[in-house]
């Protein structure tokens, strides 16, 4: 990223989690992307992308499960241009409200993100708005990569994590993290890529050996709900330069992780983030070590706390009832 570029994101804290470290048996660091002004890591990539096209920017249109939209709305407001955010009907009302509070015009189209995206692409043409993709663009990945550069600075010289834990929706975060690992020379660090069952387009592609499109999104982790993973994320999974371990948790495990994280770390995140956290709380990390797929000892574990705004206590209660945890 250019040094003269105005930065919309914050340099987030890297926090050691005593509770998680005890569970995993090694130091766990939390990269607190939930503390970004838009509530998630998305602002890194979207801020960077919008900055690159600033001169020609008259207004933006973004299709989103919620958080890319929050980032686009925030950046647009700061740049003084209007934002239209297209969300699917599966996005909870609280997301619509929060987007409107950011000054965005919200349009609800279709059932899942892919439907909303088709409408955003149409609006970009007819309304002459700049289309902001939520996960599939090299500028987004370049922007997201700053999160790893910051971790390298926080950890200090000669320190690198033993593994990185992320959630995967459309794969933008994964591509950004890999870009960041390349930037700091940590390409040998394995990545654990987490999804929920029913929002598992990356896992399905890895299993099939090709990019495939899911019939539907049946998970409640709606912000992981892209039906097709971006090509770049799939290509990384096929490339022997990186170790990417693709794993799934149930919605119940993701929700339980959200609750445990709230109790232990006093931070509320949405289920999309809970999917990654569940890898720690469900014992998956140790299982992978047991299977020899992660090294023992691991060294430290870096958890990307991607955050998310699609949650409040009312929504948490609603999800609990729906999933009966
Ligand atoms: N959410 C996207 C895509 O939704 C969105 O429009 O907001 N964690 C959180 C809190 C997220 O919001 C997302 C993406 C992810 C993780 C996964 O990131 P990705 O899509 O870059 O893999 C359909």
């Amino acid at each position: 990223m250019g040094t003269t570029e105005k930065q919309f994101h914050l340099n987030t804290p890297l926090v050691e989690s005593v509770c998680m470290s005890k569970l995993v048996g090694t130091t766990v660091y939390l990269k607190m992307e939930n503390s970004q002004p838009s509530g998630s890591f998305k602002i890194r990539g979207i801020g960077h992308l919008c900055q690159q096209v600033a001169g020609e920017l008259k207004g933006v249109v973004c299709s989103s499960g919620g958080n890319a939209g929050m980032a686009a709305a925030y950046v647009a407001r700061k740049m003084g241009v209007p934002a239209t955010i297209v969300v699917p009907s599966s996005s909870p009302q609280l997301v619509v409200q929060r987007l409107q509070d950011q000054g965005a015009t919200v349009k609800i189209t279709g059932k899942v993100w892919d439907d909303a995206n088709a409408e955003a692409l149409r609006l970009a043409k007819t309304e002459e708005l700049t289309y902001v993709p939520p996960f599939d663009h090299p500028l987004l990945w370049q922007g997201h990569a700053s999160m790893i550069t910051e971790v390298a600075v926080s950890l200090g010289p000669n320190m690198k994590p033993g593994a990185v834990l992320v959630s995967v929706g459309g794969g933008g975060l994964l591509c950004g993290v890999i870009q960041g690992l390349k930037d700091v020379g940590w390409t040998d660090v394995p990545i654990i890529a987490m999804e929920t069952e029913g929002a598992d387009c990356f896992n399905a592609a890895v299993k099939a050996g090709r990019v495939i499109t899911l019939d539907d999104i049946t998970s409640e982790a709606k912000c992981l709900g892209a039906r097709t993973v971006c090509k770049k994320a799939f290509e990384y999974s096929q490339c022997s330069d990186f170790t990417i371990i693709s794993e799934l948790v149930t919605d119940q495990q993701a929700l339980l992780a959200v609750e445990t994280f709230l109790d232990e770390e006093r931070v509320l995140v949405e289920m999309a983030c809970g999917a990654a956290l569940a890898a720690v709380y469900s014992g998956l990390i140790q299982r992978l070590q047991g299977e020899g797929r992660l090294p023992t000892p691991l060294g430290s574990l870096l958890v990307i706390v991607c955050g998310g705004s699609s949650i409040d206590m009312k929504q948490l209660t609603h999800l609990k009832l729906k999933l009966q945890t």
Side-chain angles (χ1 to χ4, degrees), residues 56-74:
E56 60 205 66
L57 206 64
K58 291 191 187 67
V60 299
V61 60
C62 176
S63 57
S64 178
N67 295 308
M70 286 295 291
Y74 175 87

Side-chain angles (χ1 to χ4, degrees), residues 39-42 46 62-71 86-88 112-114 133-136 140-141 144 166-176 194 221-227 229-230 233 269-274 304-310:
S40 82
F41 70 97
K42 292 269 175 185
I46 288 177
C62 176
S63 57
S64 178
N67 295 308
M70 286 295 291
V86 190
V87 297
V112 296
W113 170 81
D114 301 70
F135 53 79
D136 194 2
L140 296 178
W141 311 329
H144 295 337
V166 293
S167 298
V168 180
L173 176 58
L174 177 64
C175 290
M194 298 299 301
K222 298 300 177 193
C223 277
L224 299 185
R227 286 168 59 217
V229 77
C230 68
V269 295
E270 67 174 71
M271 278 179 66
C273 182
I304 306 297
V305 182
C306 43
S309 295
S310 313

Side-chain angles (χ1 to χ4, degrees), residues 9-316:
H9 66 267
L10 300 177
N11 290 12
T12 54
L14 186 72
V15 182
E16 189 182 323
S17 165
V18 171
C19 295
M20 280 192 175
S21 299
K22 207 164 102 184
L23 251 180
V24 181
T26 193
T27 310
V28 176
Y29 292 107
L30 304 172
K31 184 62 174 160
M32 301 299 277
E33 289 301 295
N34 60 289
S35 57
Q36 291 291 356
S38 69
S40 82
F41 70 97
K42 292 269 175 185
I43 193 168
R44 291 183 186 267
I46 288 177
H48 181 57
L49 184 142
C50 289
Q51 204 68 59
Q52 297 299 306
V53 295
E56 60 205 66
L57 206 64
K58 291 191 187 67
V60 299
V61 60
C62 176
S63 57
S64 178
N67 295 308
M70 286 295 291
Y74 175 87
V75 170
R77 183 164 61 79
K78 292 289 169 186
M79 291 177 98
V81 297
T84 300
I85 312 300
V86 190
V87 297
S89 59
S90 56
S91 292
Q93 177 56 33
L94 87 110
V95 171
V96 175
Q97 185 61 51
R98 283 180 176 168
L99 287 167
Q100 286 167 343
D101 290 345
Q102 279 288 357
T105 302
V106 182
K107 187 161 185 192
I108 302 167
T109 304
K111 199 174 149 250
V112 296
W113 170 81
D114 301 70
D115 308 330
N117 191 46
E119 175 63 5
L121 287 167
R122 193 188 68 78
L123 286 175
K125 274 209 188 106
T126 57
E127 313 284 310
E128 287 180 53
L129 297 168
T130 300
Y131 170 70
V132 175
F135 53 79
D136 194 2
H137 200 288
L139 287 173
L140 296 178
W141 311 329
Q142 204 182 355
H144 295 337
S146 60
M147 136 183 24
I148 300 297
T149 326
E150 276 171 30
V151 170
V153 173
S154 300
L155 287 179
N158 304 323
M159 289 280 287
K160 73 173 171 185
V164 188
L165 180 56
V166 293
S167 298
V168 180
L173 176 58
L174 177 64
C175 290
V177 164
I178 292 175
Q179 181 64 52
L181 294 175
K182 286 202 267 187
D183 291 349
V184 300
W186 290 350
T187 49
D188 57 336
V189 175
I191 302 153
I192 306 136
M194 298 299 301
E195 295 169 288
T196 49
E197 290 172 8
D200 49 355
C201 62
F202 180 63
N203 189 263
V206 170
K207 276 189 187 144
R210 66 189 165 87
V211 173
I212 61 162
T213 298
L214 302 176
D215 290 339
D216 197 8
I217 300 300
T218 53
S219 167
E220 289 302 322
K222 298 300 177 193
C223 277
L224 299 185
R227 286 168 59 217
T228 317
V229 77
C230 68
K231 197 164 144 261
K232 187 75 177 172
F234 173 71
E235 282 169 5
Y236 278 134
S237 78
Q238 301 298 298
C239 163
S240 57
D241 293 351
F242 307 97
T243 305
I244 306 175
I245 302 168
S246 167
E247 289 286 329
L248 303 180
V249 288
T250 62
D251 271 9
Q252 282 78 9
Q253 286 174 310
L255 186 60
L256 189 60
V258 167
E259 290 184 274
T260 311
F261 198 69
L262 179 59
D263 275 347
E264 293 187 350
E265 311 296 333
R266 304 158 311 281
V267 172
L268 181 59
V269 295
E270 67 174 71
M271 278 179 66
C273 182
L277 305 176
V280 171
Y281 296 129
S282 71
L284 176 73
I285 300 294
Q286 276 139 316
R287 200 192 83 207
L288 291 172
Q289 285 184 289
E291 291 169 359
R293 294 168 69 199
L294 279 178
T296 309
L298 188 57
S300 61
L301 174 69
L302 171 62
V303 182
I304 306 297
V305 182
C306 43
S309 295
S310 313
I311 191 80
D312 59 10
M313 290 310 286
K314 199 169 147 203
Q315 179 68 5
L316 185 62

